[in-house]
Amino acid sequence: MGEPGGSGHGSRSGSGSGTRARGDVYGELAAVGPYGVRPGHALITMVEPHPGQEYAYNRWYEDDHYYAGAMAMPWMYAGRRWVATRDLQLLRFPAESAVARPVTAGCYLSTYWITEGRYADHMKWTVGINKRLNRDSRVHHARTHVFTAFQDHEATVYRDGAAGPRDFHALDHPYRGLVLEVVDAAEPERRAELLEWLVARRLPRALERSPAAMVVIFRPTPLPGDRMTYVKQVEGVDTRLTLLWFLECDPRDCWAEHFAPLADPVAASGPGRVELVAPFIPTVPGTDRYVDQLR
């Protein structure tokens, strides 16, 4: 959106020059279009700071980028950062992952909800603001995007039915852990089959008596052509599903029983294969807690 034209009181009010005042434009945008609370879309980004840059990266993200590059933007209404200390990284599988190479890469994960129906509006803003941040030297380049994608919501499966927090609460509720799971269908035509199997069969069984309160399922969308060059284009757009398991316990306390066996049922079932299962715990905003435990 451009600056109001001209100078003096007349142009600031939007009269005389024919240019609308910025406040009028914002009012018009707020008055139309979807404005529900459902997380229709998400940004899920797993990043590896370069060796020796762990503290600098964390401070940049905590102090600036989480806000200026994410939460301050329109229609991105919830966010949370997660971290995988070295012991959590070593729990990941499969060893030969199509997502993380090596499978331990990507010690920070950020998750954000975007209002359903506002993806296109948000993307216009995010491309523009990130170009500006880069131009203003407010981007920390000593990092690698291991798995970064905007995603569309497909389904949410709850352990307790209608009881408990909903998916739109998930990034604000004090969950003690998160497991990122990435599953690929054998071919694009079978992704719908894979999704149906997950929602109807596998996840309800896995959630029963589980420390996970819900699993939120997304499918990735391509990044825009004018994205920042340091973010690679999304892979598996036609075959991939991303699952976020929200845990009421530390993932280390339930890993062997509830998550280590996850690869076999999917592989044996036929509709897909597991490409990554990775546990995280929440960061503590405003601190460097866990930074010294990444390597």
Side-chain angles (χ1 to χ4, degrees):
M1 283 170 275
E3 293 287 334
S7 60
H9 295 291
S11 62
R12 283 198 297 273
S13 66
S15 61
S17 67
T19 302
R20 291 175 298 176
R22 180 180 295 169
D24 293 339
V25 175
Y26 281 121
E28 292 170 12
L29 292 173
V32 297
Y35 67 117
V37 299
R38 185 171 181 266
H41 321 275
L43 171 60
I44 302 171
T45 174
M46 187 167 69
V47 171
E48 180 74 10
H50 294 175
Q53 292 291 320
E54 295 86 0
Y55 281 95
Y57 170 79
N58 187 61
R59 288 270 46 87
W60 164 74
Y61 209 105
E62 284 287 311
D63 298 342
D64 191 14
H65 198 62
Y66 177 83
Y67 302 102
M71 295 305 299
M73 290 193 276
W75 308 114
M76 182 171 272
Y77 68 89
R80 196 163 193 187
R81 291 188 74 210
W82 312 83
V83 61
T85 53
R86 186 60 180 173
D87 58 336
L88 288 168
Q89 296 167 33
L90 294 174
L91 295 175
R92 296 179 182 181
F93 63 85
E96 298 298 323
S97 169
V99 175
R101 304 181 183 94
V103 71
T104 53
C107 56
Y108 281 107
L109 179 73
S110 297
T111 51
Y112 302 97
W113 290 168
I114 300 169
T115 302
E116 183 177 31
R118 291 294 191 171
Y119 174 74
D121 298 336
H122 175 80
M123 284 304 300
K124 292 175 184 176
W125 189 287
T126 193
V127 169
I129 200 65
N130 277 284
K131 287 182 176 179
R132 181 180 178 187
L133 290 169
N134 194 59
R135 185 173 63 246
D136 293 345
S137 299
R138 287 175 63 183
V139 175
H140 186 94
H141 289 287
R143 58 179 170 144
T144 299
H145 281 266
V146 177
F147 178 70
T148 293
F150 284 88
Q151 313 226 6
D152 288 341
H153 180 257
E154 285 284 4
T156 301
V157 182
Y158 296 100
R159 181 192 60 201
D160 303 324
R166 303 292 88 189
D167 50 15
F168 49 85
H169 301 123
L171 300 184
D172 295 307
H173 188 78
Y175 287 114
R176 296 181 60 194
L178 177 141
V179 174
L180 168 69
E181 181 180 3
V182 181
V183 185
D184 276 343
E187 51 195 17
E189 295 76 15
R190 300 194 68 186
R191 182 165 65 180
E193 176 190 351
L194 173 61
L195 176 64
E196 181 181 3
W197 177 79
L198 287 167
V199 171
R201 296 177 57 191
R202 179 189 151 197
L203 293 179
R205 290 198 302 264
L207 285 171
E208 188 177 355
R209 294 183 296 277
S210 164
M214 71 179 82
V215 181
V216 190
I217 309 173
F218 296 92
R219 59 175 173 83
T221 61
L223 289 170
D226 54 354
R227 71 190 187 281
M228 302 308 295
T229 56
Y230 50 79
V231 182
K232 67 179 181 180
Q233 187 53 271
V234 179
E235 299 172 344
V237 168
D238 297 326
T239 58
R240 186 157 289 174
L241 292 172
T242 304
L243 286 66
L244 300 179
W245 300 69
F246 288 91
L247 306 183
E248 295 171 329
C249 72
D250 187 305
R252 287 164 287 208
D253 296 337
C254 61
W255 192 257
E257 180 179 359
H258 292 282
F259 291 98
L262 279 184
D264 293 337
V266 178
S269 71
R273 64 186 180 277
V274 169
E275 293 294 359
L276 181 66
V277 180
F280 293 85
I281 55 177
T283 61
V284 179
T287 76
D288 289 318
R289 189 175 298 182
Y290 307 120
V291 173
D292 60 350
Q293 302 175 40
L294 301 179
R295 309 301 182 194

